Amino acid sequence: MMGFNNIIGHEEIIGHLKNAIESGKISHSYIFTGEPGSGKKLLAGTFAATLQCEAGGTEPCQKCDSCKKAMGKNHPDIIMVSHEKPGTITIDEIRDQVINDIDIRPYYSPYKIYIIADADLMTPQAQNALLKTIEEPPEYAVILLLTNNIGGLLPTIQSRCVRLDLKVVDDGLVKKYLMEHLHVPDYQAEIDASFAQGSIGRAKEAATSQEFAEMTQNALRILKYANTMEVYELSDAIKSLSEDKQNINDYLDIFQFWFRDVLMFKATQEIDNLVFKQEINFIREQAKQRSYENLENILDSIQKTKVRLKANVNFDLAFELLFLTIREK
């Protein structure tokens, strides 16, 4: 576990939480909302550990008994609410783990903290049952709801919690983090950071996954030679993609970054802001050969492909249409 000092980005939220700790004005319920991998669990966990820390500062000391228990995920007064079924949190689970438990005083800490990840999965009945507790909590209780779909929470719950919106982290910060902490080489960190779209969790995953590195190489092989590929080569490329369907959105993201780079270079002739700087020769070549209109059409077509796949349009057909657009000059 780390302190607030080690968290990348989210300065405003950290400032808000530290002020609350310092002034002793802790709310009984918070909603942390943001994209998957944006750091909700890390922020909520750090906040919980700091509230329980025996040193009483605005960072967890990481040395006291309470911090050690929080780090080991076995703190009796920090309760992670769990659920059996993957897509739903039932009223019984909320009753057993929160409502019937919250009146028992903390074992040895100032607070009793409940962390409900994927809070939007609570059924309306479960949310309504929790609402009563949120409205009249014991003075030592703090409930932290984490969600990447704020619309899944009832308006009555939303209106009674302090809402903290996690913004995406700047690409530059993500890149710096990957290079310093995970020793990812410069050009790879650039790709991973762009791909992560401001999510440190997603960036870490990309940086440490052999699969992602192979996927990037595979996508680049197609992109660099898409101009000159024969139709049969393109259909082979489609086949290789269709064998990797679960990662198809990641492929499309990489396609998007590539053609954005080509468009950006065509417009500015500058290398600094490119994701695929190390492929500048291919990018320069494609920028020369393609018109602005063609590049806009391709980016539009990539977006449409994502929509088509969501709507379960035939996979090969969706990609043939995309590759036809890519092959037009």
Side-chain angles (χ1 to χ4, degrees):
M1 191 193 73
M2 311 190 289
F4 286 120
N5 291 337
N6 303 79
I7 294 176
I8 314 291
H10 309 309
E11 291 85 357
E12 275 175 38
I13 290 178
I14 291 169
H16 175 90
L17 295 173
K18 283 185 161 185
N19 281 342
I21 295 164
E22 233 164 3
S23 63
K25 291 185 177 146
I26 309 296
S27 172
H28 285 296
S29 44
Y30 291 85
I31 294 172
F32 291 78
T33 170
E35 293 292 313
S38 57
K40 297 183 290 292
K41 270 201 183 112
L42 183 60
L43 272 169
T46 307
F47 182 44
T50 311
L51 286 176
Q52 306 292 38
C53 174
E54 290 158 33
T58 56
E59 288 277 345
C61 75
Q62 307 192 28
K63 296 189 189 85
C64 69
D65 199 31
S66 174
C67 280
K68 283 180 185 155
K69 282 193 162 69
M71 282 190 237
K73 305 247 188 294
N74 56 5
H75 197 300
D77 296 319
I78 300 176
I79 295 106
M80 300 294 297
V81 174
S82 60
H83 54 104
E84 287 286 303
K85 289 190 187 135
T88 181
I89 302 174
T90 65
I91 185 168
D92 289 340
E93 288 165 331
I94 289 298
R95 274 200 190 119
D96 291 347
Q97 296 173 66
V98 186
I99 297 165
N100 298 342
D101 181 76
I102 207 162
D103 288 329
I104 303 163
R105 298 189 69 81
Y107 286 93
Y108 65 86
S109 309
Y111 297 96
K112 201 159 183 188
I113 301 171
Y114 296 84
I115 299 178
I116 306 178
D118 301 317
D120 51 283
L121 298 181
M122 286 188 284
T123 62
Q125 294 84 344
Q127 292 192 46
N128 279 318
L130 184 65
L131 183 61
K132 201 161 166 37
T133 303
I134 286 176
E135 284 174 334
E136 299 166 17
E139 79 282 4
Y140 50 76
V142 179
I143 295 171
L144 308 178
L145 304 175
L146 320 185
T147 178
N148 45 32
N149 169 23
I150 188 83
L153 292 173
L154 297 175
T156 42
I157 293 239
Q158 290 186 45
S159 65
R160 284 168 180 76
C161 300
V162 173
R163 175 173 163 178
L164 302 170
D165 285 277
L166 278 69
K167 305 275 184 293
V168 296
V169 181
D170 176 69
D171 279 4
L173 285 175
V174 177
K175 182 182 167 184
K176 187 167 173 249
Y177 171 84
L178 293 176
M179 289 171 70
E180 285 175 7
H181 293 262
L182 299 176
H183 310 298
V184 175
D186 185 314
Y187 69 90
Q188 188 61 45
E190 186 87 49
I191 296 167
D192 296 342
S194 302
F195 171 76
Q197 294 174 354
S199 154
I200 285 279
R202 205 172 164 197
K204 269 186 182 165
E205 214 172 288
T208 52
S209 141
Q210 185 53 40
E211 190 182 20
F212 183 73
E214 281 166 14
M215 195 165 67
T216 308
Q217 289 318 311
N218 196 7
L220 285 178
R221 232 187 338 267
I222 297 170
L223 291 163
K224 291 197 292 204
Y225 302 107
N227 282 17
T228 52
M229 272 185 175
E230 295 297 331
V231 174
Y232 74 89
E233 291 174 300
L234 278 176
S235 67
D236 283 349
I238 294 171
K239 261 199 202 75
S240 77
L241 290 181
S242 72
E243 282 157 19
D244 198 3
K245 271 194 184 124
Q246 74 275 18
N247 293 320
I248 205 62
N249 266 323
D250 297 347
Y251 271 112
L252 288 167
D253 282 344
I254 295 168
F255 281 28
Q256 215 161 9
F257 296 138
W258 175 268
F259 287 109
R260 256 191 227 144
D261 273 3
V262 176
L263 183 60
M264 185 87 114
F265 185 76
K266 188 175 180 68
T268 64
Q269 299 294 307
E270 282 171 14
I271 299 175
D272 281 356
N273 293 324
L274 305 184
V275 175
F276 295 108
K277 292 185 181 66
Q278 84 280 19
E279 304 295 351
I280 182 59
N281 293 340
F282 288 97
I283 286 172
R284 186 180 284 120
E285 193 54 36
Q286 293 203 11
K288 262 193 215 136
Q289 292 176 355
R290 294 181 182 281
S291 67
Y292 285 110
E293 193 187 358
N294 170 235
L295 290 165
E296 296 286 358
N297 285 345
I298 291 172
L299 287 165
D300 189 42
S301 185
I302 293 170
Q303 219 29 57
K304 279 189 182 138
T305 307
K306 287 183 178 181
V307 173
R308 284 179 181 134
L309 292 176
K310 265 206 182 104
N312 288 326
V313 169
N314 175 288
F315 185 94
D316 291 4
L317 177 68
F319 269 89
E320 270 163 33
L321 291 169
L322 173 60
F323 282 144
L324 279 173
T325 314
I326 289 175
R327 278 180 58 87
E328 285 168 12
K329 292 290 187 308

